[in-house]
Amino acid sequence: MANIIPFKAVRPTRDKVSLVASRSYQSYTLEQRESRLRDNPFSFLHIVNPGYKFDKQISGEARYNLVRNRYLEFKEDAIFVQDEQPCYYVYQIKDRDHQVFNGIIAAASAEDYENDSIKKHEDTIEYREIIFKDYLKTVGFNAEPVLLTYPDNDVIAQIIEQVQEERSEYEFTTTYRDTHLLWKVEDDLLIQKISHEFQNMETLYIADGHHRSASSYLLYKDLKANNPEHTGKEPYNFFMSFLIPESDLKIHEFNRVITDLNGLTKEEFLIQLDTLYRIENRGLLPYHPSKNHHFSMYLDGEFYSLYLRKKSYEIQTSLDALDSQILYKTILQPILGIEDLRNEDRIGYINGKKDIVSMKSAIDHGHYRVGFGMVPVSIEEMKTIADDGLKMPPKSTFIEPKLRCGVTIYEF
């Protein structure tokens, strides 16, 4: 049973939402951040990058406190206002590729995360969880929802369609040509119906935001332990989420690029590959695999297709069958010497939404020596691995939609 509840969002005013909304801080280059901070005083980047005001890089607790100050200033200046009653928020994204994503922004339960009603499929890094937990504790808000997915549900779909017949609260298009729309769901009957449908769902799955959800869970544990009057209804018992049906989820692969051949010559490398793979040189023609256990490789200006020799690789678990795991177990670890995928600086990742030529370009420019491509993970694979209590290698999925920060904010 999923405990999904409405909440009183802090939101930009209608006239400023397009100016406030930003991508995640890390997704901008230094030049892009500087441009937005210089030219747009309403950007949410001013809150998460408070040192810009002082022309100084600030980190740690000092930065967290300044983030809190900038946030309060946005509220004091009425750039942000808080809704008077708890609402669900229907959210739609139409991207430049004409894909449409519909879902509901709501608060998800940390207890559901704890008891595995909200399932995970990806490992997290402990120190990142702790850093973000400390950040949340100081700033007192979350501005970027965790992406959760649920089985397609006719009742929720009909409610979303009904709500979208009305004028949206927000409608704005970004410089990346993605159009965002938001509707408030205030009607008590609709709120009850939505809550009821989620309560009847046995399991939800984290699609994107494993570190954010893990940090919110750690914050919940800390604040619960230090509150002798804990009731379970406090805001810290929940974290902001964007819930979309499984059919709306778009999963891309992450291509792997490696800086060197681990001391091997090209010929020695290909000979070792031949033990586990049937190799075909595709020449200059870009090759992208079309089925599981097939991989593309780019090396020395040429594309190759790699087909796994199934008799030489044993599949015992759902994780063993995952292409990113197969690549790690058959090539990256034993041949190229990549042991720690999270901390090894010899490996890079290029999301599969970009053309495979992006991988070729990175190698041709000398940044890497060899690259590997694969087909995207399916929603069924992702769910099976989560249900089995296993974790994918890092960067196994690049998942859409991607929300903007600062459109809805959850306070605790």
Side-chain angles (χ1 to χ4, degrees), residues 41-238:
F42 301 108
S43 173
F44 191 76
L45 291 175
H46 281 283
I47 293 177
V48 295
N49 188 36
Y52 180 79
K53 182 176 181 179
F54 306 103
D55 193 25
K56 182 179 180 181
Q57 290 290 331
I58 303 172
S59 60
E61 189 67 25
R63 173 177 171 265
Y64 305 163
N65 285 315
L66 287 177
V67 168
R68 176 70 177 169
N69 291 346
R70 293 293 86 76
Y71 173 67
L72 292 177
E73 288 170 5
F74 269 50
K75 292 184 71 176
E76 291 163 2
D77 293 340
I79 299 168
F80 286 144
V81 293
Q82 186 167 27
D83 287 324
E84 295 182 356
Q85 67 182 58
C87 302
Y88 287 120
Y89 302 89
V90 168
Y91 203 93
Q92 182 183 85
I93 301 174
K94 302 175 184 177
D95 73 13
R96 64 189 302 169
D97 299 321
H98 309 294
Q99 296 181 102
V100 180
F101 305 96
N102 291 292
I104 295 174
I105 296 176
S109 168
E111 287 189 1
D112 286 351
Y113 180 94
E114 183 175 46
N115 63 29
D116 214 30
S117 293
I118 295 176
K119 290 185 178 287
K120 313 89 180 168
H121 68 261
E122 186 175 291
D123 267 332
T124 53
I125 302 172
E126 185 177 9
Y127 81 87
R128 287 183 59 190
E129 295 176 6
I130 295 171
I131 287 173
F132 193 58
K133 182 261 293 182
D134 293 340
Y135 168 84
L136 293 175
K137 184 180 289 188
T138 300
V139 303
F141 68 86
N142 196 336
E144 186 177 0
V146 172
L147 184 62
L148 300 179
T149 188
Y150 60 87
D152 285 28
N153 180 286
D154 289 340
V155 174
I156 293 179
Q158 290 168 7
I159 291 173
I160 288 176
E161 289 182 7
Q162 176 184 339
V163 170
Q164 290 176 340
E165 291 174 358
E166 304 296 327
R167 182 193 178 191
S168 60
E169 181 77 8
Y170 295 152
E171 181 175 1
F172 64 95
T173 300
T174 72
T175 54
Y176 290 82
R177 300 182 183 178
D178 298 336
T179 299
H180 297 245
L181 299 97
L182 176 144
W183 294 260
K184 290 172 61 178
V185 181
E186 301 176 278
D187 181 84
D188 288 340
L189 181 58
L190 291 182
I191 287 176
Q192 290 173 14
K193 286 183 177 180
I194 293 171
S195 299
H196 177 73
E197 291 303 313
F198 281 119
Q199 286 172 0
N200 286 335
M201 295 179 189
E202 184 176 341
T203 305
L204 303 175
Y205 294 85
I206 298 174
D208 191 27
H210 282 80
H211 282 93
R212 276 172 275 142
S213 53
S215 300
S216 295
Y217 170 65
L218 292 179
L219 178 67
Y220 150 79
K221 287 191 6 178
D222 273 9
L223 296 181
K224 175 183 176 181
N226 290 296
N227 183 5
E229 298 180 0
H230 173 83
T231 65
K233 296 182 179 180
E234 297 85 357
Y236 62 72
N237 290 280
F238 299 87

